[in-house]
Amino acid sequence: MSTRQQLILETATRLIARRGVRGLRVEELAAEASVSTGLIYYHFGDRAGLMRRTLEFINERAERYTEPSASPRTDPRRHLEEMLLLELQDDPMVVENSTAWGEFQASARFDAELREQLRESTARWVEYAADLIRRAQDAGTVRDEVVAADAAERITALVEGLSERWLTGTLTLERARGLLRDALVLELGPEARG
């Protein structure tokens, strides 16, 4: 990705976090990024292409800031826990990214193309979490009776809900993180080596 494309996507994410997907105007984006509207259309084709690529950018950025220190191969449970807790950080980029993600979710109710892209993205996240749970079961750190796909769906949905509550000020960050830690124990069982 070129430096200009990166700048456009960073600016689009910031504007979406501030005004929502439906509030984003290409002309405003061009002015804020100090580029021409023609350059935006050149790189992204149309507004829908810009939205698709911005959502991909948000996902890629989230993957970077949620990269745990624990290895998914040697400690899959800890990797999962760290990855999910890193979604809840008081860091300006995380706040911006999470807010923009929430705006995409809200807009997807009215936009079938966005809805499909969000569905695919969420399915990948849930499947990765389920894979980590299965690996942790093999390692003896998650109860065998846990249905990995179901637990992954509930846990990732909880993270999204806690994030929304934290971002809107109805939960403190500490409370959101504490509730997530408790939920992980309830879903997966206490961590014990098998």
Side-chain angles (χ1 to χ4, degrees), residues 55-76:
L55 184 56
E56 289 171 10
F57 175 79
I58 289 168
N59 285 329
E60 291 163 3
R61 210 160 68 161
E63 286 175 14
R64 286 192 301 275
Y65 68 69
T66 61
E67 183 58 38
S69 60
S71 166
R73 287 179 297 287
T74 60
D75 199 346

Side-chain angles (χ1 to χ4, degrees), residues 159-174:
V159 169
E160 288 179 340
L162 290 171
S163 179
E164 285 298 313
R165 288 189 180 187
W166 163 57
L167 291 169
T168 59
T170 59
L171 274 181
T172 65
L173 178 60
E174 295 75 26

Side-chain angles (χ1 to χ4, degrees), residues 1 4-5 7 10 25 35 56 61 63 74 76 79 89 92 94-95 116 126 130 138 148 158 172-173 177 183 193:
M1 166 180 357
R4 292 261 176 148
Q5 287 172 310
L7 171 67
E10 287 171 353
R25 302 289 172 256
V35 298
E56 289 171 10
R61 210 160 68 161
E63 286 175 14
T74 60
H79 182 89
Q89 300 181 57
V94 175
V95 170
E116 181 59 23
V126 171
D138 291 344
L158 177 64
T172 65
L173 178 60
R177 291 173 64 90
R193 299 280 169 193

Side-chain angles (χ1 to χ4, degrees), residues 29-50:
L29 171 59
E32 183 121 349
S34 299
V35 298
S36 70
T37 56
L39 185 65
I40 293 172
Y41 289 120
Y42 172 78
H43 285 300
F44 303 102
D46 56 14
R47 188 176 189 284
L50 172 65

Side-chain angles (χ1 to χ4, degrees), residues 27-130:
E27 297 77 18
E28 179 186 14
L29 171 59
E32 183 121 349
S34 299
V35 298
S36 70
T37 56
L39 185 65
I40 293 172
Y41 289 120
Y42 172 78
H43 285 300
F44 303 102
D46 56 14
R47 188 176 189 284
L50 172 65
M51 293 299 100
R52 263 191 315 279
R53 189 59 190 103
T54 302
L55 184 56
E56 289 171 10
F57 175 79
I58 289 168
N59 285 329
E60 291 163 3
R61 210 160 68 161
E63 286 175 14
R64 286 192 301 275
Y65 68 69
T66 61
E67 183 58 38
S69 60
S71 166
R73 287 179 297 287
T74 60
D75 199 346
R77 180 177 175 142
R78 177 110 348 119
H79 182 89
L80 174 67
E81 291 171 352
E82 287 180 17
M83 176 185 75
L84 296 174
L85 285 164
L86 287 169
E87 290 282 352
L88 303 168
Q89 300 181 57
D90 194 15
D91 174 276
M93 183 180 61
V94 175
V95 170
E96 178 181 275
N97 225 54
S98 294
T99 302
W101 174 264
E103 292 297 330
F104 270 102
Q105 283 184 310
S107 293
R109 292 182 192 122
F110 310 103
D111 183 327
E113 190 174 329
L114 275 181
R115 191 168 41 250
E116 181 59 23
Q117 189 178 2
L118 273 167
R119 188 199 63 72
E120 290 172 6
S121 177
T122 300
R124 282 191 303 272
W125 186 36
V126 171
E127 181 49 40
Y128 184 61

